[in-house]
Amino acid sequence: MRRSTFTDAAVSYAAIGGTLAPDLMSYPPKGYRPMEQSVRLGSSKERFEAATKLLMTWGIQRGSGMEVTDLENGTGVQYTPVTFQPDGTPAAGQQHPVNEATFAEDGTPYITNGMTATLKMTAWRLSVTAPVRVVYVIDEAARIGFAYGTMAGHPESGEESFIVEHRENDSVWLTIRSFSRGSTWYYRLAWPVLRFQQAKFTKLYLRALHPAGAISN
């Protein structure tokens, strides 16, 4: 789907939904750097439910020290992702019950397709503002998560996904996938610094849902 369909808050890249591609690490969008990391959060249905509840109320971002502000539900055409079969062939798009207007106990709205937010973080005493838009939501019995894409004003261009999976052996895993590059020429000049900060926040993300007991794969 072309990014121009996002009439109210356009994302700043073309490969919307690219984090769903099975071969992302081998064939990322041209000019973008891919990343994929996973961490074990524990085991049991209860662990899965607790982790996904935090995940879908911006728990990863807040747990890593970010401030999440300006939450707005989208009003434009929403992206319906292409999902894939185990053999890598495309499957039909899915309906996502988590898109219903639901809220956590503290009033935080659950993440839905088309939602926009502003992520604020501090790096070397500098405040960085990063507007994002949720481009897809996954809500399956054993797999829940979302991805957001960058919007104008974000120091990076690209997409990042956060998916929690309850596997057949009862273990619970968080997987983070992304592809990114500097959003403007001056951010591209500063790409080594952006990569350092990205790696730093990815480590914080991986710890945010289960800081004490996470085990990387």
Side-chain angles (χ1 to χ4, degrees), residues 74-130:
T75 58
V77 178
Q78 296 181 359
Y79 172 72
T80 301
V82 177
T83 56
F84 296 88
Q85 303 286 3
D87 63 358
T89 58
Q94 302 178 21
Q95 296 297 317
H96 305 298
V98 78
N99 285 338
E100 299 174 357
T102 53
F103 300 83
E105 287 82 353
D106 64 357
T108 301
Y110 276 75
I111 290 170
T112 61
N113 270 324
M115 177 179 282
T116 59
T118 300
L119 308 180
K120 295 182 179 180
M121 63 206 83
T122 301
W124 293 309
R125 299 183 180 179
L126 296 176
S127 179
V128 178
T129 299

Side-chain angles (χ1 to χ4, degrees), residues 3 11-15 19 24 28-35 130-131 148-160 177-196 198:
R3 60 180 177 176
V11 292
S12 58
Y13 64 104
T19 49
L24 172 65
K30 186 176 180 179
Y32 288 81
R33 175 177 176 267
M35 184 278 298
Y148 53 56
T150 58
M151 294 166 56
H154 198 297
E156 296 183 1
S157 170
E159 184 175 294
E160 192 163 26
R177 307 182 89 210
S178 70
F179 56 88
S180 60
R181 68 180 182 189
S183 60
T184 64
W185 67 268
Y186 49 87
Y187 282 127
R188 288 168 193 159
L189 287 177
W191 184 235
V193 176
L194 290 179
R195 285 182 61 180
F196 175 83
Q198 183 185 56

Side-chain angles (χ1 to χ4, degrees), residues 11-94:
V11 292
S12 58
Y13 64 104
I16 301 170
T19 49
L20 288 168
D23 57 358
L24 172 65
M25 296 304 295
S26 299
Y27 302 101
K30 186 176 180 179
Y32 288 81
R33 175 177 176 267
M35 184 278 298
E36 178 177 324
Q37 291 193 42
S38 296
V39 66
R40 181 172 178 171
L41 304 177
S43 59
S44 80
K45 180 180 179 181
E46 291 74 18
R47 178 67 251 168
F48 174 71
E49 291 175 349
T52 54
K53 184 176 181 180
L54 277 174
L55 173 70
M56 299 307 292
T57 54
W58 303 96
I60 283 184
Q61 288 71 30
R62 289 173 170 149
S64 65
M66 291 183 178
E67 182 182 359
V68 183
T69 64
D70 304 324
L71 291 171
E72 295 286 347
N73 288 325
T75 58
V77 178
Q78 296 181 359
Y79 172 72
T80 301
V82 177
T83 56
F84 296 88
Q85 303 286 3
D87 63 358
T89 58
Q94 302 178 21

